[in-house]
Amino acid sequence: MPTETTNKIAVYPGTFDPITYGHIDVIKRSQKLFEKVIVAVLENSRKSCLFSTAERIDMIKNSVADIEVESFSGLLVDFLKRKNAFFVIRGLRAVSDFDYEFQMAIANKSLVPEIETIFIMTDKEHFYLNSTLVKELAKNRADLKDLVPEPVERALQEKFK
Ligand code: PNS
């Protein structure tokens, strides 16, 4: 069972290809709820990523001050065990996110019953924001300043130049 100390660590997992202001909002809000938030970047995602794992990690570190970022492969629950963490943070936007998120939360809980997934509702400004949309806009040279921090904007411009 989690002890008081382990209850203070939360893991925010994702692909982050790339990190957006929507993710950053979730990180900042979860930092108010937990003593430590670890951003866990999935390596070798089933999705084909535009950015390498190292690039995705660098963009997070360059965009968010004082954040612990690590990569993981395999099962999220195994990463949680290694970190002695019992909380998973996920952002929820539209209702369309719900099915997938519900499945993941149930899968993780059946693997390790002590794990709780905490959902943070998106800010209204970030309702339609996701990494796929950002990449599409970047490819077509749209203005990204309200969607991603500067280091990410630069990295996207570099990829699509
Ligand atoms: O940002 P994403 O792509 O929606 O994040 C998905 C992520 C990384 C949280 C999810 O794919 C994941 O946890 N993958 C690790 C494999 C795993 O643990 N699977 C079982 C639970 S579904």
Side-chain angles (χ1 to χ4, degrees):
M1 280 298 285
T3 65
E4 276 206 17
T5 322
T6 58
N7 282 352
K8 307 286 165 64
I9 307 170
V11 170
Y12 180 33
T15 308
F16 304 104
D17 185 46
I19 189 163
T20 69
Y21 278 136
H23 296 124
I24 292 173
D25 178 51
V26 170
I27 294 173
K28 290 197 171 142
R29 288 159 65 196
S30 51
Q31 282 175 324
K32 289 184 192 155
L33 300 172
F34 295 94
E35 249 168 40
K36 179 155 126 180
V37 174
I38 304 169
V39 177
V41 178
L42 180 65
E43 280 180 43
N44 309 322
S45 166
R46 267 183 304 167
K47 300 175 187 171
S48 58
C49 288
L50 175 66
F51 293 100
S52 69
T53 309
E55 286 172 326
R56 286 179 279 142
I57 291 176
D58 276 354
M59 283 185 286
I60 299 170
K61 288 186 174 165
N62 293 335
S63 304
V64 187
D66 303 321
I67 185 76
E68 193 171 321
V69 189
E70 283 190 40
S71 63
F72 78 103
S73 53
L75 290 178
L76 176 62
V77 292
D78 291 332
F79 180 80
L80 285 156
K81 276 188 214 159
R82 289 198 293 278
K83 295 288 155 194
N84 213 14
F86 292 88
F87 290 96
V88 175
I89 304 284
R90 292 289 288 171
L92 263 192
R93 286 163 308 197
V95 178
S96 52
D97 284 344
F98 187 79
D99 255 10
Y100 171 59
E101 294 299 336
F102 190 64
Q103 273 176 27
M104 273 203 300
I106 297 287
N108 288 331
K109 204 166 185 43
S110 14
L111 291 164
V112 180
E114 289 87 2
I115 287 178
E116 296 296 347
T117 302
I118 309 293
F119 292 106
I120 296 199
M121 297 298 294
T122 185
D123 197 270
K124 62 182 183 317
E125 266 101 89
H126 305 126
F127 193 75
Y128 293 106
L129 179 53
N130 63 53
S131 302
T132 307
L133 175 84
V134 163
K135 283 179 277 190
E136 193 63 37
L137 293 171
K139 204 170 163 184
N140 292 288
R141 314 268 187 277
D143 186 1
L144 303 174
K145 85 169 172 355
D146 295 334
L147 310 179
V148 294
E150 224 213 304
V152 178
E153 191 174 355
R154 268 188 273 115
L156 282 162
Q157 282 162 352
E158 193 59 34
K159 285 275 176 203
F160 291 115
K161 85 175 177 203

